[in-house]
Amino acid sequence: LPAINLCVHFDSLHPAVYRYVVALPVQRVTLDFCRGSGMVETLEAEGFPATKELGAGVVDARNVWRSEEAAFALLQRVRRVVGDDSRVVVSPSCSLMFVR
């Protein structure tokens, strides 16, 4: 696969759109698990392709100072779905341009 990281920030994906996105020919898909209401549930229901990496946007980029516990809880759920820790990359939930 091409070394492309497709980042989907600021909201969750409808399950049909999620299936389309994870089927695209990219190496990594990064999802926003902080602001994407229901994104973890969609991931749990739909699964994740064994051929891709998941950028787990579990660090709230809009409030990086208060995310340890919430990020860890989200990360545990994501890891259970993906199954292979080498395919999970901890990421901010969106661009860090919001951090001042």
Side-chain angles (χ1 to χ4, degrees):
L1 294 173
I4 296 173
N5 179 16
L6 175 64
C7 299
V8 181
H9 298 309
F10 305 114
D11 206 349
S12 61
L13 298 174
H14 183 278
V17 176
Y18 171 82
R19 288 189 294 272
Y20 175 80
V21 167
V22 298
L24 292 171
V26 297
Q27 179 179 349
R28 180 184 302 159
V29 176
T30 299
L31 301 172
D32 183 345
F33 291 103
C34 293
R35 300 292 168 118
S37 174
M39 195 69 253
V40 174
E41 290 79 6
T42 298
L43 178 72
E44 290 170 336
E46 299 290 334
F48 192 76
T51 58
K52 297 186 187 314
E53 297 173 357
L54 175 63
V58 296
V59 177
D60 189 347
R62 294 164 197 84
N63 188 6
V64 296
W65 308 115
R66 300 182 60 195
S67 61
E68 282 182 29
E69 291 177 26
F72 185 74
L74 285 168
L75 185 58
Q76 294 307 314
R77 291 177 70 183
V78 168
R79 289 174 64 214
R80 278 193 292 275
V81 174
V82 176
D84 179 1
D85 286 348
S86 69
R87 295 188 307 113
V88 177
V89 179
V90 175
S91 302
S93 62
C94 66
S95 167
L96 294 174
M97 69 185 209
F98 295 102
V99 178
R100 294 179 191 215

mmCIF file of all heavy atoms in Angstrom, residues 60-94:
data_model
loop_
_atom_site.group_PDB
_atom_site.id
_atom_site.type_symbol
_atom_site.label_atom_id
_atom_site.label_comp_id
_atom_site.label_asym_id
_atom_site.label_seq_id
_atom_site.Cartn_x
_atom_site.Cartn_y
_atom_site.Cartn_z
ATOM 1 N N ASP A 60 -6.685 14.364 23.026
ATOM 2 C CA ASP A 60 -7.511 15.506 22.641
ATOM 3 C C ASP A 60 -6.613 16.698 22.311
ATOM 4 O O ASP A 60 -6.081 17.348 23.202
ATOM 5 C CB ASP A 60 -8.489 15.857 23.763
ATOM 6 C CG ASP A 60 -9.525 16.888 23.351
ATOM 7 O OD1 ASP A 60 -9.354 17.528 22.285
ATOM 8 O OD2 ASP A 60 -10.496 17.063 24.101
ATOM 9 N N ALA A 61 -6.448 16.963 21.037
ATOM 10 C CA ALA A 61 -5.537 18.023 20.598
ATOM 11 C C ALA A 61 -6.037 19.413 20.956
ATOM 12 O O ALA A 61 -5.299 20.385 20.885
ATOM 13 C CB ALA A 61 -5.313 17.932 19.092
ATOM 14 N N ARG A 62 -7.280 19.532 21.357
ATOM 15 C CA ARG A 62 -7.811 20.828 21.754
ATOM 16 C C ARG A 62 -7.578 21.084 23.238
ATOM 17 O O ARG A 62 -7.797 22.172 23.735
ATOM 18 C CB ARG A 62 -9.300 20.879 21.445
ATOM 19 C CG ARG A 62 -9.580 20.833 19.951
ATOM 20 C CD ARG A 62 -11.039 20.487 19.731
ATOM 21 N NE ARG A 62 -11.303 20.041 18.382
ATOM 22 C CZ ARG A 62 -11.141 18.800 17.952
ATOM 23 N NH1 ARG A 62 -10.701 17.855 18.740
ATOM 24 N NH2 ARG A 62 -11.422 18.488 16.699
ATOM 25 N N ASN A 63 -7.166 20.034 23.960
ATOM 26 C CA ASN A 63 -6.932 20.160 25.401
ATOM 27 C C ASN A 63 -5.913 19.096 25.822
ATOM 28 O O ASN A 63 -6.241 18.162 26.538
ATOM 29 C CB ASN A 63 -8.250 19.966 26.162
ATOM 30 C CG ASN A 63 -8.096 20.273 27.628
ATOM 31 O OD1 ASN A 63 -7.058 20.725 28.081
ATOM 32 N ND2 ASN A 63 -9.137 20.022 28.385
ATOM 33 N N VAL A 64 -4.672 19.237 25.344
ATOM 34 C CA VAL A 64 -3.651 18.214 25.562
ATOM 35 C C VAL A 64 -3.249 18.054 27.025
ATOM 36 O O VAL A 64 -2.620 17.077 27.381
ATOM 37 C CB VAL A 64 -2.389 18.482 24.714
ATOM 38 C CG1 VAL A 64 -2.726 18.387 23.240
ATOM 39 C CG2 VAL A 64 -1.772 19.823 25.055
ATOM 40 N N TRP A 65 -3.596 18.977 27.871
ATOM 41 C CA TRP A 65 -3.155 18.932 29.260
ATOM 42 C C TRP A 65 -4.032 18.044 30.134
ATOM 43 O O TRP A 65 -3.675 17.727 31.249
ATOM 44 C CB TRP A 65 -3.113 20.348 29.840
ATOM 45 C CG TRP A 65 -2.328 21.254 28.952
ATOM 46 C CD1 TRP A 65 -2.794 22.329 28.265
ATOM 47 C CD2 TRP A 65 -0.946 21.135 28.607
ATOM 48 N NE1 TRP A 65 -1.795 22.888 27.515
ATOM 49 C CE2 TRP A 65 -0.643 22.181 27.705
ATOM 50 C CE3 TRP A 65 0.066 20.241 28.949
ATOM 51 C CZ2 TRP A 65 0.614 22.353 27.161
ATOM 52 C CZ3 TRP A 65 1.329 20.417 28.396
ATOM 53 C CH2 TRP A 65 1.592 21.472 27.528
ATOM 54 N N ARG A 66 -5.186 17.628 29.650
ATOM 55 C CA ARG A 66 -6.108 16.872 30.492
ATOM 56 C C ARG A 66 -6.599 15.609 29.793
ATOM 57 O O ARG A 66 -7.780 15.347 29.766
ATOM 58 C CB ARG A 66 -7.306 17.742 30.839
ATOM 59 C CG ARG A 66 -6.924 18.992 31.590
ATOM 60 C CD ARG A 66 -8.121 19.791 31.947
ATOM 61 N NE ARG A 66 -8.992 18.981 32.783
ATOM 62 C CZ ARG A 66 -10.241 19.270 33.046
ATOM 63 N NH1 ARG A 66 -10.790 20.332 32.535
ATOM 64 N NH2 ARG A 66 -10.975 18.501 33.823
ATOM 65 N N SER A 67 -5.698 14.817 29.265
ATOM 66 C CA SER A 67 -6.205 13.699 28.479
ATOM 67 C C SER A 67 -5.669 12.324 28.868
ATOM 68 O O SER A 67 -6.040 11.346 28.243
ATOM 69 C CB SER A 67 -5.926 13.943 26.999
ATOM 70 O OG SER A 67 -4.554 14.051 26.786
ATOM 71 N N GLU A 68 -4.838 12.223 29.875
ATOM 72 C CA GLU A 68 -4.218 10.933 30.179
ATOM 73 C C GLU A 68 -5.222 9.813 30.416
ATOM 74 O O GLU A 68 -5.169 8.771 29.768
ATOM 75 C CB GLU A 68 -3.305 11.042 31.394
ATOM 76 C CG GLU A 68 -1.979 11.661 31.102
ATOM 77 C CD GLU A 68 -1.100 11.690 32.331
ATOM 78 O OE1 GLU A 68 -1.237 10.823 33.199
ATOM 79 O OE2 GLU A 68 -0.274 12.597 32.412
ATOM 80 N N GLU A 69 -6.128 9.992 31.362
ATOM 81 C CA GLU A 69 -7.067 8.924 31.705
ATOM 82 C C GLU A 69 -8.039 8.626 30.568
ATOM 83 O O GLU A 69 -8.287 7.464 30.242
ATOM 84 C CB GLU A 69 -7.831 9.276 32.974
ATOM 85 C CG GLU A 69 -6.952 9.271 34.207
ATOM 86 C CD GLU A 69 -7.707 9.705 35.448
ATOM 87 O OE1 GLU A 69 -8.937 9.539 35.492
ATOM 88 O OE2 GLU A 69 -7.054 10.200 36.367
ATOM 89 N N ALA A 70 -8.586 9.658 29.980
ATOM 90 C CA ALA A 70 -9.531 9.457 28.878
ATOM 91 C C ALA A 70 -8.826 8.813 27.685
ATOM 92 O O ALA A 70 -9.379 7.899 27.054
ATOM 93 C CB ALA A 70 -10.159 10.781 28.475
ATOM 94 N N ALA A 71 -7.626 9.271 27.384
ATOM 95 C CA ALA A 71 -6.873 8.713 26.257
ATOM 96 C C ALA A 71 -6.561 7.244 26.496
ATOM 97 O O ALA A 71 -6.691 6.414 25.590
ATOM 98 C CB ALA A 71 -5.590 9.502 26.034
ATOM 99 N N PHE A 72 -6.167 6.896 27.704
ATOM 100 C CA PHE A 72 -5.830 5.510 28.014
ATOM 101 C C PHE A 72 -7.059 4.598 27.877
ATOM 102 O O PHE A 72 -6.978 3.506 27.300
ATOM 103 C CB PHE A 72 -5.239 5.400 29.422
ATOM 104 C CG PHE A 72 -4.753 4.023 29.749
ATOM 105 C CD1 PHE A 72 -3.581 3.540 29.186
ATOM 106 C CD2 PHE A 72 -5.473 3.209 30.594
ATOM 107 C CE1 PHE A 72 -3.139 2.262 29.464
ATOM 108 C CE2 PHE A 72 -5.042 1.922 30.882
ATOM 109 C CZ PHE A 72 -3.871 1.445 30.315
ATOM 110 N N ALA A 73 -8.198 5.053 28.357
ATOM 111 C CA ALA A 73 -9.424 4.257 28.269
ATOM 112 C C ALA A 73 -9.823 4.034 26.806
ATOM 113 O O ALA A 73 -10.187 2.920 26.412
ATOM 114 C CB ALA A 73 -10.557 4.937 29.032
ATOM 115 N N LEU A 74 -9.755 5.086 25.997
ATOM 116 C CA LEU A 74 -10.075 4.955 24.574
ATOM 117 C C LEU A 74 -9.085 4.024 23.880
ATOM 118 O O LEU A 74 -9.469 3.177 23.076
ATOM 119 C CB LEU A 74 -10.056 6.326 23.899
ATOM 120 C CG LEU A 74 -11.236 7.241 24.173
ATOM 121 C CD1 LEU A 74 -10.937 8.649 23.682
ATOM 122 C CD2 LEU A 74 -12.486 6.693 23.508
ATOM 123 N N LEU A 75 -7.809 4.187 24.207
ATOM 124 C CA LEU A 75 -6.771 3.375 23.586
ATOM 125 C C LEU A 75 -6.972 1.890 23.885
ATOM 126 O O LEU A 75 -6.777 1.043 23.008
ATOM 127 C CB LEU A 75 -5.391 3.837 24.044
ATOM 128 C CG LEU A 75 -4.203 3.163 23.383
ATOM 129 C CD1 LEU A 75 -4.243 3.354 21.872
ATOM 130 C CD2 LEU A 75 -2.909 3.724 23.963
ATOM 131 N N GLN A 76 -7.376 1.561 25.086
ATOM 132 C CA GLN A 76 -7.618 0.156 25.433
ATOM 133 C C GLN A 76 -8.719 -0.441 24.566
ATOM 134 O O GLN A 76 -8.605 -1.575 24.092
ATOM 135 C CB GLN A 76 -7.969 0.017 26.921
ATOM 136 C CG GLN A 76 -6.831 0.365 27.850
ATOM 137 C CD GLN A 76 -5.547 -0.401 27.511
ATOM 138 O OE1 GLN A 76 -5.558 -1.599 27.291
ATOM 139 N NE2 GLN A 76 -4.446 0.307 27.442
ATOM 140 N N ARG A 77 -9.779 0.305 24.341
ATOM 141 C CA ARG A 77 -10.871 -0.183 23.495
ATOM 142 C C ARG A 77 -10.408 -0.365 22.053
ATOM 143 O O ARG A 77 -10.735 -1.362 21.405
ATOM 144 C CB ARG A 77 -12.060 0.772 23.558
ATOM 145 C CG ARG A 77 -12.754 0.760 24.913
ATOM 146 C CD ARG A 77 -13.875 1.760 25.001
ATOM 147 N NE ARG A 77 -15.021 1.378 24.166
ATOM 148 C CZ ARG A 77 -16.092 2.131 24.037
ATOM 149 N NH1 ARG A 77 -16.176 3.297 24.664
ATOM 150 N NH2 ARG A 77 -17.102 1.737 23.277
ATOM 151 N N VAL A 78 -9.637 0.600 21.554
ATOM 152 C CA VAL A 78 -9.120 0.527 20.184
ATOM 153 C C VAL A 78 -8.195 -0.682 20.035
ATOM 154 O O VAL A 78 -8.298 -1.443 19.068
ATOM 155 C CB VAL A 78 -8.391 1.837 19.819
ATOM 156 C CG1 VAL A 78 -7.598 1.687 18.535
ATOM 157 C CG2 VAL A 78 -9.378 2.993 19.720
ATOM 158 N N ARG A 79 -7.323 -0.882 20.984
ATOM 159 C CA ARG A 79 -6.371 -2.000 20.924
ATOM 160 C C ARG A 79 -7.083 -3.348 20.894
ATOM 161 O O ARG A 79 -6.639 -4.272 20.223
ATOM 162 C CB ARG A 79 -5.410 -1.946 22.107
ATOM 163 C CG ARG A 79 -4.409 -0.798 22.002
ATOM 164 C CD ARG A 79 -3.560 -0.661 23.242
ATOM 165 N NE ARG A 79 -2.745 -1.836 23.434
ATOM 166 C CZ ARG A 79 -2.418 -2.325 24.634
ATOM 167 N NH1 ARG A 79 -2.833 -1.735 25.730
ATOM 168 N NH2 ARG A 79 -1.664 -3.398 24.722
ATOM 169 N N ARG A 80 -8.170 -3.463 21.629
ATOM 170 C CA ARG A 80 -8.921 -4.727 21.639
ATOM 171 C C ARG A 80 -9.474 -5.052 20.247
ATOM 172 O O ARG A 80 -9.502 -6.211 19.844
ATOM 173 C CB ARG A 80 -10.058 -4.669 22.648
ATOM 174 C CG ARG A 80 -9.613 -4.967 24.066
ATOM 175 C CD ARG A 80 -10.795 -5.225 24.986
ATOM 176 N NE ARG A 80 -11.619 -4.056 25.228
ATOM 177 C CZ ARG A 80 -11.379 -3.142 26.168
ATOM 178 N NH1 ARG A 80 -10.330 -3.249 26.956
ATOM 179 N NH2 ARG A 80 -12.187 -2.112 26.315
ATOM 180 N N VAL A 81 -9.894 -4.026 19.516
ATOM 181 C CA VAL A 81 -10.449 -4.263 18.178
ATOM 182 C C VAL A 81 -9.345 -4.607 17.181
ATOM 183 O O VAL A 81 -9.453 -5.580 16.430
ATOM 184 C CB VAL A 81 -11.235 -3.026 17.668
ATOM 185 C CG1 VAL A 81 -11.676 -3.223 16.230
ATOM 186 C CG2 VAL A 81 -12.422 -2.752 18.570
ATOM 187 N N VAL A 82 -8.282 -3.821 17.175
ATOM 188 C CA VAL A 82 -7.205 -4.020 16.195
ATOM 189 C C VAL A 82 -6.433 -5.303 16.501
ATOM 190 O O VAL A 82 -6.056 -6.036 15.587
ATOM 191 C CB VAL A 82 -6.276 -2.791 16.139
ATOM 192 C CG1 VAL A 82 -5.107 -3.017 15.206
ATOM 193 C CG2 VAL A 82 -7.068 -1.557 15.713
ATOM 194 N N GLY A 83 -6.204 -5.574 17.780
ATOM 195 C CA GLY A 83 -5.575 -6.824 18.176
ATOM 196 C C GLY A 83 -4.064 -6.852 18.113
ATOM 197 O O GLY A 83 -3.424 -7.517 18.905
ATOM 198 N N ASP A 84 -3.469 -6.140 17.212
ATOM 199 C CA ASP A 84 -2.014 -6.132 17.042
ATOM 200 C C ASP A 84 -1.497 -4.745 17.380
ATOM 201 O O ASP A 84 -1.677 -3.807 16.615
ATOM 202 C CB ASP A 84 -1.681 -6.501 15.594
ATOM 203 C CG ASP A 84 -0.200 -6.506 15.298
ATOM 204 O OD1 ASP A 84 0.615 -6.236 16.213
ATOM 205 O OD2 ASP A 84 0.163 -6.767 14.141
ATOM 206 N N ASP A 85 -0.844 -4.621 18.541
ATOM 207 C CA ASP A 85 -0.374 -3.302 18.990
ATOM 208 C C ASP A 85 0.573 -2.632 18.003
ATOM 209 O O ASP A 85 0.672 -1.403 17.973
ATOM 210 C CB ASP A 85 0.320 -3.415 20.348
ATOM 211 C CG ASP A 85 -0.664 -3.633 21.485
ATOM 212 O OD1 ASP A 85 -1.873 -3.476 21.263
ATOM 213 O OD2 ASP A 85 -0.209 -3.947 22.589
ATOM 214 N N SER A 86 1.264 -3.407 17.182
ATOM 215 C CA SER A 86 2.194 -2.801 16.229
ATOM 216 C C SER A 86 1.454 -2.051 15.119
ATOM 217 O O SER A 86 2.064 -1.278 14.387
ATOM 218 C CB SER A 86 3.109 -3.862 15.617
ATOM 219 O OG SER A 86 2.383 -4.722 14.761
ATOM 220 N N ARG A 87 0.144 -2.237 15.007
ATOM 221 C CA ARG A 87 -0.647 -1.532 13.994
ATOM 222 C C ARG A 87 -1.457 -0.378 14.570
ATOM 223 O O ARG A 87 -2.244 0.242 13.863
ATOM 224 C CB ARG A 87 -1.578 -2.503 13.277
ATOM 225 C CG ARG A 87 -0.837 -3.545 12.465
ATOM 226 C CD ARG A 87 -1.726 -4.403 11.592
ATOM 227 N NE ARG A 87 -2.827 -5.027 12.297
ATOM 228 C CZ ARG A 87 -4.117 -4.719 12.095
ATOM 229 N NH1 ARG A 87 -4.470 -3.819 11.233
ATOM 230 N NH2 ARG A 87 -5.059 -5.356 12.766
ATOM 231 N N VAL A 88 -1.257 -0.069 15.862
ATOM 232 C CA VAL A 88 -1.957 1.050 16.495
ATOM 233 C C VAL A 88 -0.941 2.142 16.801
ATOM 234 O O VAL A 88 0.057 1.903 17.482
ATOM 235 C CB VAL A 88 -2.659 0.614 17.799
ATOM 236 C CG1 VAL A 88 -3.315 1.806 18.471
ATOM 237 C CG2 VAL A 88 -3.683 -0.473 17.513
ATOM 238 N N VAL A 89 -1.190 3.336 16.284
ATOM 239 C CA VAL A 89 -0.306 4.483 16.488
ATOM 240 C C VAL A 89 -1.077 5.537 17.280
ATOM 241 O O VAL A 89 -2.117 6.004 16.823
ATOM 242 C CB VAL A 89 0.161 5.070 15.132
ATOM 243 C CG1 VAL A 89 1.055 6.272 15.353
ATOM 244 C CG2 VAL A 89 0.851 4.002 14.299
ATOM 245 N N VAL A 90 -0.585 5.883 18.466
ATOM 246 C CA VAL A 90 -1.245 6.915 19.274
ATOM 247 C C VAL A 90 -1.062 8.254 18.576
ATOM 248 O O VAL A 90 0.048 8.632 18.212
ATOM 249 C CB VAL A 90 -0.672 6.959 20.702
ATOM 250 C CG1 VAL A 90 -1.283 8.103 21.493
ATOM 251 C CG2 VAL A 90 -0.901 5.624 21.401
ATOM 252 N N SER A 91 -2.162 8.968 18.390
ATOM 253 C CA SER A 91 -2.149 10.218 17.637
ATOM 254 C C SER A 91 -3.007 11.265 18.331
ATOM 255 O O SER A 91 -3.892 10.923 19.113
ATOM 256 C CB SER A 91 -2.727 9.994 16.229
ATOM 257 O OG SER A 91 -2.014 9.025 15.534
ATOM 258 N N PRO A 92 -2.771 12.544 17.992
ATOM 259 C CA PRO A 92 -3.701 13.571 18.459
ATOM 260 C C PRO A 92 -5.019 13.438 17.709
ATOM 261 O O PRO A 92 -5.059 12.890 16.601
ATOM 262 C CB PRO A 92 -2.993 14.890 18.129
ATOM 263 C CG PRO A 92 -2.072 14.544 17.020
ATOM 264 C CD PRO A 92 -1.676 13.116 17.217
ATOM 265 N N SER A 93 -6.080 13.943 18.291
ATOM 266 C CA SER A 93 -7.402 13.824 17.680
ATOM 267 C C SER A 93 -7.562 14.709 16.445
ATOM 268 O O SER A 93 -8.457 14.484 15.635
ATOM 269 C CB SER A 93 -8.482 14.158 18.698
ATOM 270 O OG SER A 93 -8.342 15.487 19.134
ATOM 271 N N CYS A 94 -6.711 15.706 16.308
ATOM 272 C CA CYS A 94 -6.725 16.570 15.137
ATOM 273 C C CYS A 94 -5.379 17.271 15.059
ATOM 274 O O CYS A 94 -4.488 17.002 15.847
ATOM 275 C CB CYS A 94 -7.878 17.575 15.194
ATOM 276 S SG CYS A 94 -7.737 18.780 16.515
#
